[in-house]
Amino acid sequence: MAKEMGQLNEEKVFKDPVHRYIHVRDELIWRLIGTREFQRLRRIRQLGTTYLTFHGAEHSRFSHSLGVYEITRRIVEIFQNRPHWNEDERMLVLCAALLHDIGHGPFSHSFEKVFGVDHEDYTRDILLGDTEVNEVLRLQGEEFPRKVAEVIEKTYHDKLVVSLISSQIDADRMDYLLRDAYFTGVSYGNFDLERILRVMRPMEDGAVIKASGMHAVEDYIMSRYQMYWQVYFHPVTRSAEVILSKILHRAKDLYQGGYQFKQDLTHFRSLFEGEITLEDYIKLDEGVMQYYFQVWMDEEDRILRDLCRRFLDRKLFKYSEMVSVSEVLRLSGYFEEAGIDPKYYLVIDSSSDLPYDFYRPGEKEERLPINLLKANGEIRELSRESDVVEAISGKRRTDHKLYYPADLIEKIDDNKLKQKIKHILKKD
């Protein structure tokens, strides 16, 4: 049986702009941070293409993962010696917090859509496969990596442990809202983390919030709502994401059509062939991907060359509010007539968010509600007590935009055709 790891001789600290300090006292956590797979997260931005809209958004999944660990560490400290909290789960929940994003790829959102992969599968593979992370986790016991995977996958038997990493008010969301607000320079994402942590209490089915802290939770819910629409779904960021997706689609289509690239596709070959290995996946990061974009600017293929230039030089697509399906089809025909390939240059992009929802058993994605603990010991679901939360509870907001290259439309020689396109786009 593996010998469980103990405490470091001396506490290690990371200076952090959001939490001031991140404290590491456990040797296991320290060793996990030093693994190859965890260090790779330094080379993957937390917010993908958002840096092209908010220039400060250069922070990495590495710093977010440390932040989630730190919030979880503080919650566990508050829960110590309270009913329903099992101190034996401490190391498990800290490791799950630290490693919850370990499987993310470069520009995760676009990357997963184009190649049909899921970062959650790679998280599991990294935790259970032939990796440095797995080697370190097994120092805590042979079954320990599997338990960490179960917590992250929300299948672990202790619901309280799962809720700290994955619920409607968890360490993951609390860190990314504060961190993303800080690095984008916006004020919407700020809420009183200290207050929320002070009023959190462990219960059998998950953490609850003392009713006296309800206003701090309302702030948190509204922060999340604002951040999604002002930052995460910003139309300019989505334009960059659209172009990024189209670059990957174009390169994949060319490869599968037998096109000869000038530069060997070492890092992309197994991806384009649909049989990416864990080792290939771990080698891919945003630096590698942007190197290829730089190289592809010199390719013979005009579309790939142009899309890479747009992404790297920030010559993004413009957008308009969504037009009817029949108008999109007409536009598509006009684009073809003008020699602009609509498959790559006319894109509908949709964003949708549900800021908070009460419990709906049996739904595909069951969302555990935020519960309040009243002074008399009664548990009440948040939206039944808060008018603010009730107003947005269960209401999904969706936004559709149409993206196109305004500069190419301006270059169309046929003035009549140009005006037809502009008329549909309402750009007369």
Side-chain angles (χ1 to χ4, degrees):
M1 188 180 155
K3 178 181 177 292
E4 290 195 3
M5 305 195 75
Q7 303 273 294
L8 294 164
N9 293 333
E10 209 169 87
E11 179 182 84
K12 306 281 188 184
V13 293
F14 292 82
K15 281 286 282 175
D16 185 72
V18 177
H19 305 301
R20 289 193 65 241
Y21 288 100
I22 288 163
H23 304 262
V24 179
R25 297 172 190 141
D26 301 283
E27 191 179 348
L28 185 67
I29 297 294
W30 184 245
R31 287 211 194 180
L32 285 171
I33 292 168
T35 58
R36 171 194 180 211
E37 296 84 17
F38 193 78
Q39 290 294 319
R40 163 184 165 274
L41 297 179
R42 291 182 186 270
R43 304 189 297 278
I44 294 176
R45 289 184 188 87
Q46 173 68 12
L47 289 182
T49 59
T50 303
Y51 70 98
L52 290 166
T53 309
F54 298 92
H55 66 87
E58 294 280 355
H59 56 303
S60 66
R61 291 199 179 273
F62 178 91
S63 60
H64 165 61
S65 297
L66 286 180
V68 177
Y69 153 80
E70 176 60 19
I71 291 177
T72 307
R73 186 193 67 76
R74 290 168 63 186
I75 293 171
V76 167
E77 237 171 47
I78 291 162
F79 283 4
Q80 223 172 357
N81 302 321
R82 289 189 181 275
H84 307 291
W85 174 248
N86 179 358
E87 193 58 23
D88 293 345
E89 304 284 33
R90 175 181 172 276
M91 191 49 68
L92 176 62
V93 76
L94 291 183
C95 289
L98 186 72
L99 302 174
H100 76 286
D101 269 355
I102 195 81
H104 270 289
F107 300 112
S108 230
H109 185 64
S110 307
F111 181 85
E112 290 184 23
K113 277 205 289 194
V114 174
F115 296 114
V117 298
D118 187 336
H119 70 269
E120 291 179 3
D121 294 338
Y122 286 102
T123 294
R124 185 178 179 81
D125 291 348
I126 289 168
L127 294 174
L128 304 181
D130 182 16
T131 60
E132 290 182 16
V133 162
N134 176 267
E135 196 181 319
V136 173
L137 288 174
R138 278 192 291 115
L139 296 171
Q140 194 72 6
E142 280 303 315
E143 283 303 303
F144 193 67
R146 190 168 303 282
K147 286 182 177 179
V148 174
E150 285 175 3
V151 174
I152 294 171
E153 289 168 352
K154 301 182 267 199
T155 57
Y156 190 64
H157 65 85
D158 188 328
K159 290 181 181 174
L160 173 58
V161 168
V162 172
S163 77
L164 299 188
I165 313 299
S166 187
S167 64
Q168 293 195 76
I169 184 162
D170 57 31
D172 179 22
R173 292 182 189 206
M174 288 193 280
D175 182 79
Y176 76 60
L177 289 174
L178 293 172
R179 192 167 299 277
D180 297 346
Y182 178 88
F183 282 100
T184 52
V186 302
S187 56
Y188 331 110
N190 290 313
F191 59 90
D192 192 345
L193 174 68
E194 300 293 326
R195 178 73 179 138
I196 290 176
L197 296 188
R198 282 177 61 86
V199 294
M200 252 192 181
R201 294 292 179 266
M203 295 296 267
E204 199 175 334
D205 287 340
V208 297
I209 307 290
K210 284 172 67 179
S212 58
M214 184 179 81
H215 298 301
V217 179
E218 287 176 335
D219 255 7
Y220 156 83
I221 298 278
M222 294 314 293
S223 297
R224 186 181 176 282
Y225 177 80
Q226 294 285 6
M227 283 294 285
Y228 268 79
W229 290 103
Q230 306 296 334
V231 175
Y232 304 140
F233 294 159
H234 194 289
V236 175
T237 302
R238 284 159 60 191
S239 175
E241 234 172 55
V242 160
I243 292 173
L244 175 65
S245 297
K246 292 303 176 185
I247 291 172
L248 298 174
H249 270 301
R250 184 62 177 174
K252 183 181 173 185
D253 290 350
L254 290 171
Y255 178 83
Q256 291 175 345
Y259 176 86
Q260 289 299 304
F261 285 84
K262 292 181 181 178
Q263 174 84 22
D264 187 61
L265 297 177
T266 314
H267 296 82
F268 278 100
R269 187 170 286 107
S270 65
L271 253 183
F272 289 162
E273 289 171 0
E275 46 193 44
I276 185 168
T277 64
L278 181 59
E279 182 56 29
D280 286 345
Y281 187 79
I282 288 168
K283 283 179 181 169
L284 262 181
D285 59 42
E286 287 174 15
V288 168
M289 203 176 258
Q290 288 186 295
Y291 161 74
Y292 279 95
F293 294 173
Q294 194 84 254
V295 166
W296 290 344
M297 281 168 77
D298 295 325
E299 278 295 340
E300 296 299 327
D301 183 74
R302 181 178 57 82
I303 292 175
L304 182 62
R305 204 170 60 222
D306 177 61
L307 292 171
C308 288
R309 177 190 63 83
R310 286 177 184 279
F311 187 79
L312 292 175
D313 296 348
R314 202 186 175 279
K315 307 297 183 203
L316 305 178
F317 290 169
K318 299 296 181 193
Y319 60 90
S320 72
E321 295 308 316
M322 188 55 194
V323 295
S324 69
V325 176
S326 63
E327 286 177 315
V328 172
L329 291 172
R330 269 169 51 216
L331 267 177
S332 190
Y334 294 154
F335 269 47
E336 282 179 355
E337 220 181 303
I340 303 169
D341 191 337
K343 182 179 175 185
Y344 297 102
Y345 290 99
L346 187 64
V347 185
I348 298 165
D349 183 73
S350 302
S351 294
S352 163
D353 179 49
L354 184 61
Y356 176 76
D357 203 7
F358 43 83
Y359 185 47
R360 299 173 192 264
E363 292 241 336
K364 188 180 172 198
E365 188 192 345
E366 285 187 1
R367 291 167 168 245
L368 291 176
I370 297 172
N371 285 322
L372 298 178
L373 176 64
K374 302 195 78 168
N376 63 2
E378 185 190 355
I379 302 276
R380 294 276 290 171
E381 190 268 316
L382 176 63
S383 67
R384 294 177 182 275
E385 294 290 307
S386 162
D387 294 340
V388 172
V389 174
E390 188 196 15
I392 59 168
S393 186
K395 293 183 174 64
R396 183 171 290 281
R397 183 176 161 190
T398 305
D399 177 59
H400 308 284
K401 295 247 184 300
L402 185 65
Y403 287 88
Y404 58 89
D407 54 321
L408 293 188
I409 293 168
E410 285 303 328
K411 288 177 184 167
I412 296 172
D413 292 330
D414 182 338
N415 202 46
K416 205 172 173 186
L417 182 60
K418 187 196 294 188
Q419 290 312 314
K420 282 181 185 175
I421 292 172
K422 284 187 165 188
H423 178 71
I424 295 176
L425 294 170
K426 315 289 189 285
K427 298 288 175 192
D428 303 90

